[in-house]
Amino acid sequence: LIRMGKPEWDNPMQFVLACVSYAVGLGNVWRFPYLCQMHGGGGFLIPYLLMLVLLGVPLFYMELAIGQKMRLGSIGAWRAINPYLGGVGLASVVTSMYLCLYYNVINAWSFWYLFHSFQSVLPWAECPVNSNLTGHVEECERATPTQYFFYRETLDISGSIEENGGIHMGQALCLLLAWMIVYLFIVKGVKSTGKVVYFTATFPYLVLIIYLIRGVTLHGAINGVKYMFTPKMEQLANPTTWINAATQIFFSLGLGFGSLIAFASYNQYNNNFEKQAIVVSMVNSSTSIFASIVTFSIYGFKATFNYESCLERVRLLLLNTFDLAEDTISLENVIHWIAELNRTHPEQFASLGGRLETCDLEAELDTAVEGTGLAFIVYSEAIKNMPVSQLWSVLYFIMLLLLGMGSMLGNVIAVITPLSDLKFISRVLSYSVGLVCLFCLLLGLGFTTHSGNYWFTMFNDYGATFSLLFIVLIEVITVCYIYGIKRFEKDVEDMLGHRLNCYWKIMLAGVSPILLIALFIFYIVNYIQGGTPTYQAWNKELGKSVVTEYPPYAQAFIGLLLASSVCCIPLTALYTYCKKRNLKKAIS
């Protein structure tokens, strides 16, 4: 990570694996399946793949080209293109720093679940006994054992963001472990990272393949897979479907954080980044689809299990109420018997009232869950019902850890590389890596407090979205219209030996900027129309999350999050202008 005699990847495969390890992250496992579920199953693949071609691949290509040409981190690269644009790189560093602060908390949760998987009975499989030993804990009975374990045992969450509390020591230790591993992975720069990515980029695929084989053999898995691949084409008329497809491509590939520029800066000057940009983009999107098949097979199993459990409860209720023989009603004919008994014994049937549940497999499959809810509640709910559940739990959380750690490497390198371009820091690189990790750890401890999960949600929702759209929009306008598409074309020819073809030019100079402007406007309009920002607060009396408005100070902090990184661009340009002006005055 030294500017003069800058180290390089040992071979192009290391660079590709680093990009794959960074781009293929938790979003592929928990965000993409959720979007498929929300926007018409297989029909969502149409806008998703279109946005990959129109937005994802060209912008990915552009960032790799800049990093490889300039051989600098994001700040140095953009300053080299135009002295007034060093703020673009600084904005990327600030955004990556925000991501570093909270992203490793997910890895801490994964460690927590992994350590708790080595038990004869998984702790989220059943409710714990209360202090009087007379029954189960009430909060757990109102919710579910998996929800109780996540919200109470893992997070020990407060009732709102305003109720603060001490640090959860178990979570703090897991976070410390997560940051120690990240430090060891990157302390020697690309020489250590290049070795690590062989494992972090490939092992999750082995686990996904094992899970796929297990998933499709589970009872009811076919219901989930059919649900995924049955397209609801009417969703294509919904503009939100297209917006979500574009943003998923955008964030999944990791554009705008500066990580791709940093990774590419360690390439040899004539490395074929064009082919690599296409390969990594395709691998990333294929992984999302592959992970969705695994997720929907698990969904199908869980939905079928819940549906059949519901039918069994209804069957027992009917047998006891109407005093029928045990083998009269089965799961296959319970729906028929509901209609039959309602027809033949209307008064007795009416007396069942609210005790008679409505069992609907489609409704179970329609229940959309995203983010941590999918990763730590829905998956663990399914795992506890599998044979040898401890094995599947260990495998799953190791996979989550590796996906999370692979992305963390890119996030931290996006911060470290621009710093290492400064001569005085490059001499004490290992100390600067340690200081960055320590700084993020200390601030990240805030997310392990009782109200920490609400701050985590705030950073996740507002820390990167707006700023990344703005950063990448400025990047593409700079390359095509300030630096100049012809000049960029000559740089590419110098590195690859051939000029940009029509596809790259049309996308970069026309289609991608228009789409980015549309996304940017949509985000602002959506934010304004959304009214007061809200979050999901855990209500232990009800045993579920309730929508709650952020208090005024939290809303002010959201404004700070949205503006802080974006402000780096005009402020740095203003600082450069004033500095040049003062220099001219001093000379004259």
Side-chain angles (χ1 to χ4, degrees):
L1 292 171
I2 302 169
R3 179 70 194 103
M4 296 303 291
K6 187 165 180 146
E8 296 175 346
W9 301 105
D10 289 346
N11 53 66
M13 181 55 74
Q14 276 191 1
F15 168 66
V16 170
L17 289 176
C19 288
V20 167
S21 183
Y22 166 65
V24 175
L26 298 168
N28 299 71
V29 175
W30 68 33
R31 174 89 177 141
F32 184 80
Y34 162 76
L35 291 175
C36 271
Q37 199 175 10
M38 282 287 288
H39 297 298
F44 181 70
L45 295 177
I46 296 169
Y48 177 77
L49 294 174
L50 260 176
M51 289 300 170
L52 174 68
V53 173
L54 300 177
L55 197 66
V57 180
L59 296 175
F60 197 88
Y61 173 93
M62 180 190 75
E63 290 205 352
L64 295 190
I66 290 160
Q68 188 165 308
K69 170 67 182 173
M70 301 302 172
R71 292 182 63 75
L72 290 163
S74 52
I75 297 174
W78 291 109
R79 192 185 285 141
I81 286 171
N82 188 298
Y84 292 99
L85 289 171
V88 177
L90 188 58
S92 292
V93 170
V94 172
T95 306
S96 290
M97 182 64 82
Y98 288 158
L99 194 63
C100 286
L101 290 178
Y102 78 86
Y103 200 93
N104 226 12
V105 175
I106 303 169
N107 292 328
W109 296 343
S110 296
F111 271 123
W112 175 264
Y113 270 79
L114 179 63
F115 296 149
H116 280 83
S117 298
F118 297 98
Q119 298 184 31
S120 55
V121 177
L122 292 175
W124 56 84
E126 52 192 39
C127 286
V129 179
N130 61 25
S131 54
N132 300 327
L133 306 179
T134 54
H136 293 122
V137 174
E138 282 186 24
E139 183 184 357
C140 183
E141 288 189 321
R142 292 191 198 103
T144 64
T146 46
Q147 285 177 318
Y148 178 82
F149 185 82
F150 181 66
Y151 288 110
R152 186 56 52 216
E153 300 286 346
T154 306
L155 304 178
D156 196 14
I157 199 167
S158 60
S160 77
I161 196 169
E162 295 172 273
E163 297 173 32
N164 296 311
I167 287 171
H168 186 315
M169 196 49 67
Q171 282 304 314
L173 290 171
C174 287
L175 185 62
L176 172 64
L177 177 61
W179 272 112
M180 284 171 65
I181 290 172
V182 169
Y183 172 75
L184 292 173
F185 279 0
I186 62 172
V187 67
K188 294 193 186 301
V190 290
K191 293 300 174 192
S192 57
T193 307
K195 304 291 186 292
V196 169
V197 293
Y198 282 112
F199 188 60
T200 59
T202 56
F203 188 77
Y205 287 99
L206 177 63
V207 177
L208 277 174
I209 290 165
I210 294 169
Y211 249 96
L212 178 68
I213 295 165
R214 182 69 190 108
V216 295
T217 57
L218 288 168
H219 174 59
I222 191 68
N223 294 325
V225 176
K226 265 198 283 189
Y227 181 90
M228 177 191 169
F229 284 107
T230 305
K232 295 173 184 170
M233 301 309 281
E234 65 274 11
Q235 279 289 331
L236 294 180
N238 181 0
T240 310
T241 303
W242 294 85
I243 297 292
N244 281 338
T247 49
Q248 175 62 14
I249 284 289
F250 190 85
F251 299 119
S252 178
L253 287 172
L255 302 165
F257 286 105
S259 303
L260 299 173
I261 292 174
F263 281 148
S265 72
Y266 302 110
N267 278 338
Q268 291 182 359
Y269 188 73
N270 299 114
N271 173 64
N272 189 354
F273 64 85
E274 183 174 89
K275 187 169 75 174
Q276 292 163 342
I278 295 167
V279 167
V280 174
S281 302
M282 294 305 169
V283 166
N284 181 59
S285 296
S286 302
T287 305
S288 292
I289 297 165
F290 179 49
S292 288
I293 297 170
V294 177
T295 300
F296 274 93
S297 66
I298 303 284
Y299 260 151
F301 165 67
K302 178 182 171 290
T304 305
F305 183 87
N306 290 348
Y307 172 65
E308 291 183 351
S309 298
C310 175
L311 289 178
E312 179 61 21
R313 290 192 296 272
V314 170
R315 188 182 83 87
L316 292 173
L317 179 66
L318 295 177
L319 289 174
N320 294 331
T321 305
F322 295 96
D323 212 16
L324 300 166
E326 182 71 26
D327 59 350
T328 310
I329 305 176
S330 65
L331 292 182
E332 286 73 30
N333 64 15
V334 68
I335 304 296
H336 164 75
W337 273 100
I338 290 171
E340 185 64 23
L341 292 169
N342 189 23
R343 186 178 63 81
T344 54
H345 301 78
E347 288 183 13
Q348 201 176 353
F349 192 88
S351 69
L352 293 172
R355 290 182 296 158
L356 187 67
E357 297 175 66
T358 304
C359 305
D360 188 349
L361 180 60
E362 193 70 19
E364 287 284 350
L365 287 165
D366 277 337
T367 309
V369 183
E370 69 168 323
T372 50
L374 174 58
F376 294 99
I377 297 174
V378 174
Y379 255 97
S380 54
E381 177 100 23
I383 287 167
K384 76 174 188 183
N385 296 317
M386 292 181 188
V388 203
S389 54
Q390 292 82 357
L391 170 67
W392 299 109
S393 182
V394 168
L395 271 177
Y396 174 68
F397 290 109
I398 286 175
M399 180 187 74
L400 275 195
L401 263 174
L402 290 171
L403 288 171
M405 284 294 175
S407 296
M408 271 305 296
L409 296 183
N411 300 335
V412 178
I413 283 174
V415 176
I416 297 293
T417 304
L419 294 177
S420 68
D421 289 332
L422 305 170
K423 285 181 183 176
F424 69 93
I425 287 181
S426 65
R427 295 193 194 99
V428 287
L429 179 63
S430 60
Y431 296 111
S432 64
V433 171
L435 285 172
V436 167
C437 290
L438 181 63
F439 175 76
C440 291
L441 167 65
L442 293 175
L443 287 182
L445 288 173
F447 297 116
T448 66
T449 60
H450 296 312
S451 61
N453 188 57
Y454 303 129
W455 292 97
F456 170 91
T457 303
M458 188 191 295
F459 269 78
N460 191 36
D461 289 346
Y462 302 104
T465 317
F466 176 76
S467 53
L468 285 180
L469 285 171
F470 188 69
I471 288 165
V472 178
L473 178 58
I474 298 294
E475 283 184 0
V476 75
I477 289 171
T478 299
V479 168
C480 295
Y481 300 104
I482 297 174
Y483 187 70
I485 192 76
K486 288 188 176 176
R487 202 167 154 198
F488 180 67
E489 195 175 4
K490 285 182 76 175
D491 289 342
V492 169
E493 187 178 14
D494 193 33
M495 288 185 282
L496 300 182
H498 64 81
R499 287 182 164 251
L500 286 174
N501 62 36
C502 289
Y503 165 72
W504 300 116
K505 282 195 273 193
I506 292 167
M507 293 301 122
L508 288 172
V511 178
S512 295
I514 291 166
L515 281 172
L516 283 169
I517 291 166
L519 281 173
F520 191 67
I521 293 168
F522 174 82
Y523 185 88
I524 293 169
V525 169
N526 211 34
Y527 182 73
I528 294 166
Q529 288 181 342
T532 307
T534 59
Y535 66 101
Q536 297 280 339
W538 179 252
N539 187 318
K540 66 179 182 180
E541 305 303 325
L542 300 174
K544 64 178 184 179
S545 297
V546 291
V547 177
T548 310
E549 287 189 353
Y550 279 111
Y553 69 86
Q555 292 177 40
F557 190 80
I558 287 170
L560 185 67
L561 270 182
L562 290 170
S564 54
S565 52
V566 169
C567 282
C568 294
I569 298 171
L571 289 176
T572 305
L574 184 64
Y575 170 76
T576 306
Y577 172 75
C578 293
K579 193 176 172 184
K580 281 193 172 186
R581 195 175 168 191
N582 291 338
L583 190 64
K584 279 182 183 177
K585 280 183 180 177
I587 292 168
S588 59

